Amino acid sequence: MATEDNQQKKLSTEPYKGVRDFYPQDMQIERYIFDTMSRVTESFGYSEYSASILEPTELYQSKTNDEIVNEQTYTFTDRGGREVTLRPEMTPTLARMVAGKRHDLTFPLRWYSIPNVFRYERPQRGRVREHWQLNADLFGVSELDAEVEIISLASSLMKAFGAEDNDFEIRMSDRSILTSIFEELKTSEEVQAKVMRLLDKRAKIDDFDTQLKAILGEQSESFVEKLESTSSSSNLELVLSQLKNLGVTNAVIDTSIVRGFDYYTGVVFEVFDTSSENNRSLFGGGRYDNLLSLFGGDKIPAVGFGMGDVTIRDFLETHDLLPPYNARTELFLCTLTQSAKEYAQKLAQALREQDINVEVALSDKKVGDQIKIANKKGIPFVICIGEDEIKNESFTIKHLESGEEKTLKEDAVADYIFSKI
Ligand code: HAM
């Protein structure tokens, strides 16, 4: 007898908080975003790499950003007692990989990856707990040419997504402006990290002055004065003029840009959406010349950025740049009998070998209903297989949108479809 207790509780169909399911329509957009990222990045000479999402926790401790490491990582102890973290970003993994093979690799090194990364953040527009992030990084170039290349890659990506110059703005700053102020004020490294974190949040908080005073005490006023009187650096001017020569005209200097990670050492940048509906940072990066020294050996200069899939998708939506959904299946074979099903499977096989994507109806639904299914799925062409088609080995192919029909032999079907799509 079934009781309340042994009746199974229904499982929720919702995904885990802050992560996304990708149903086919979403997956097609995601695939478009990844393909565009790869194509453009490869056109600049970058090679793809990858790694596991699991890293030893110590890779992140006190090296990147205490807030992310202490409050936003997914960390657990494995069955062997090791502390493990799901990567919250790719840069430490990349630094580990490059440092590990430094003697075998050829510099300058240009690498990219599109990893998923995990951060336990409060989910909101543009912020989730798992996102994918293009990472493009250039190692072994200490000159500003590296910044120019990386920022022009960022700009080319935006253009490839269909953005116009006035849809986005590249805001650049230079960490060395802050470093020299800190040197003047003799600020400890620990306090520097706190000030940088606060500056990174400046636009989002109301009590910046109070919080700054709590960190810097009496020095806070002179810190603000020095910062406000420095509007640029010679490095920034040089990068800006070289970018202009390359046709990147929407880069500006904005010393309020800091970026959240401690490892940045020089020019940093962030790309902003200029639309009032989505006025936010889309992605960013900068120079980090000291991170690889954590693994021993000489310094390896590095510049790179991370471009998230969520913010880019929001940008595409805001600017009406999302590609329309296109069914990947080109042909649907309706089947009227069991022997038609078997025949259709063989025909499908032959057409697949000619690069046509074919779906075979396996239900016993009426022809009209089968065609409706094809239509609903957005499949453009239909052939119905019955006894006549099997006997005559010729097929009437119908283009569902126009209603146009043509009767063809098997060897002409693929060419006909290619001529129409
Ligand atoms: P980040 O600014 O923390 O930098 O992340 C890069 C981009 O990833 C962000 O600008 C945003 O597009 C996206 N992103 C970050 N967190 C989230 C989130 N919770 N939800 C959705 N999207 C997010 C880095 O991670 C650096 N490691 C980038 C880098 C590479 N610097 C040098 N090389």
Side-chain angles (χ1 to χ4, degrees), residues 199-212:
L199 285 168
D200 190 40
K201 287 195 290 201
R202 190 175 188 168
K204 296 176 214 146
I205 54 174
D206 303 324
D207 57 346
F208 173 77
D209 290 342
T210 322
Q211 288 200 41
L212 188 69

Side-chain angles (χ1 to χ4, degrees), residues 248-318:
V248 179
T249 53
N250 54 354
V252 295
I253 294 170
D254 175 350
T255 50
S256 71
I257 298 295
V258 189
R259 306 244 343 116
F261 290 106
D262 302 345
Y263 49 65
Y264 293 111
T265 52
V267 172
V268 286
F269 71 96
E270 229 155 280
V271 176
F272 277 76
D273 192 335
T274 51
S275 161
S276 55
E277 278 165 54
N278 191 42
N279 198 348
R280 58 172 303 147
S281 164
L282 299 169
F283 65 99
R287 178 174 283 280
Y288 54 104
D289 282 349
N290 299 334
L291 190 62
L292 278 79
S293 315
L294 291 173
F295 303 92
D298 295 339
K299 266 191 182 183
I300 301 179
V303 187
F305 65 85
M307 176 192 233
D309 62 337
V310 180
T311 46
I312 282 299
R313 196 191 156 135
D314 287 346
F315 176 84
L316 296 177
E317 232 157 30
T318 307

Side-chain angles (χ1 to χ4, degrees), residues 44 148-149 151-160 163-170 238-252:
F44 276 69
V148 173
E149 174 174 311
I151 296 174
S152 89
L153 167 57
S155 162
S156 296
L157 280 157
M158 292 303 292
K159 299 277 179 69
E164 306 276 346
D165 279 337
N166 57 3
D167 292 334
F168 68 102
E169 188 172 72
I170 302 164
L238 229 125
V239 171
L240 194 67
S241 80
Q242 287 194 31
L243 284 172
K244 287 229 159 77
N245 286 343
L246 285 172
V248 179
T249 53
N250 54 354
V252 295

Side-chain angles (χ1 to χ4, degrees), residues 131-381:
H131 74 279
W132 275 256
Q133 198 190 70
L134 166 69
N135 277 251
D137 292 86
L138 168 52
F139 296 89
V141 180
S142 49
E143 292 79 20
L144 292 167
D145 306 281
E147 279 88 339
V148 173
E149 174 174 311
I150 279 287
I151 296 174
S152 89
L153 167 57
S155 162
S156 296
L157 280 157
M158 292 303 292
K159 299 277 179 69
F161 280 118
E164 306 276 346
D165 279 337
N166 57 3
D167 292 334
F168 68 102
E169 188 172 72
I170 302 164
R171 302 186 189 161
M172 307 186 300
S173 185
D174 187 346
R175 277 274 177 102
S176 59
I177 296 174
L178 281 174
T179 314
S180 58
I181 298 177
F182 287 139
E183 265 169 25
E184 271 181 63
L185 297 177
K186 302 198 169 45
T187 317
S188 73
E189 272 189 27
E190 200 189 326
V191 174
Q192 289 184 23
K194 283 189 189 156
V195 175
M196 283 194 288
R197 194 96 5 91
L198 183 66
L199 285 168
D200 190 40
K201 287 195 290 201
R202 190 175 188 168
K204 296 176 214 146
I205 54 174
D206 303 324
D207 57 346
F208 173 77
D209 290 342
T210 322
Q211 288 200 41
L212 188 69
K213 200 149 194 180
I215 301 170
L216 279 180
E218 282 174 3
Q219 286 188 323
S220 75
E221 267 171 39
S222 65
F223 174 82
V224 171
E225 262 168 40
K226 286 183 200 298
L227 189 63
E228 282 173 0
S229 63
T230 325
S231 59
S232 186
S233 74
S234 54
N235 282 353
L236 288 172
E237 297 295 337
L238 229 125
V239 171
L240 194 67
S241 80
Q242 287 194 31
L243 284 172
K244 287 229 159 77
N245 286 343
L246 285 172
V248 179
T249 53
N250 54 354
V252 295
I253 294 170
D254 175 350
T255 50
S256 71
I257 298 295
V258 189
R259 306 244 343 116
F261 290 106
D262 302 345
Y263 49 65
Y264 293 111
T265 52
V267 172
V268 286
F269 71 96
E270 229 155 280
V271 176
F272 277 76
D273 192 335
T274 51
S275 161
S276 55
E277 278 165 54
N278 191 42
N279 198 348
R280 58 172 303 147
S281 164
L282 299 169
F283 65 99
R287 178 174 283 280
Y288 54 104
D289 282 349
N290 299 334
L291 190 62
L292 278 79
S293 315
L294 291 173
F295 303 92
D298 295 339
K299 266 191 182 183
I300 301 179
V303 187
F305 65 85
M307 176 192 233
D309 62 337
V310 180
T311 46
I312 282 299
R313 196 191 156 135
D314 287 346
F315 176 84
L316 296 177
E317 232 157 30
T318 307
H319 295 265
D320 210 7
L321 292 170
L322 281 177
Y325 180 73
N326 267 319
R328 293 287 155 93
T329 309
E330 287 129 357
L331 176 64
F332 187 89
L333 297 181
C334 300
T335 52
L336 306 182
T337 59
Q338 181 57 32
S339 56
K341 265 185 213 165
E342 288 163 27
Y343 186 89
Q345 291 293 11
K346 279 198 199 138
L347 176 63
Q349 216 44 47
L351 291 169
R352 287 174 192 139
E353 277 165 26
Q354 297 170 72
D355 286 334
I356 303 288
N357 298 339
V358 189
E359 176 173 336
V360 177
L362 298 180
S363 72
D364 291 322
K365 290 198 163 77
K366 290 192 201 113
V367 178
D369 291 336
Q370 291 187 24
I371 293 176
K372 268 190 207 147
I373 289 171
N375 212 356
K376 231 174 157 177
K377 290 185 173 186
I379 302 174
F381 295 97

Side-chain angles (χ1 to χ4, degrees), residues 81-98:
R82 297 172 202 89
E83 287 290 292
V84 182
T85 295
L86 302 193
R87 60 183 173 214
E89 55 154 341
M90 197 61 168
T91 310
T93 300
L94 174 61
R96 179 177 64 65
M97 288 170 68
V98 172

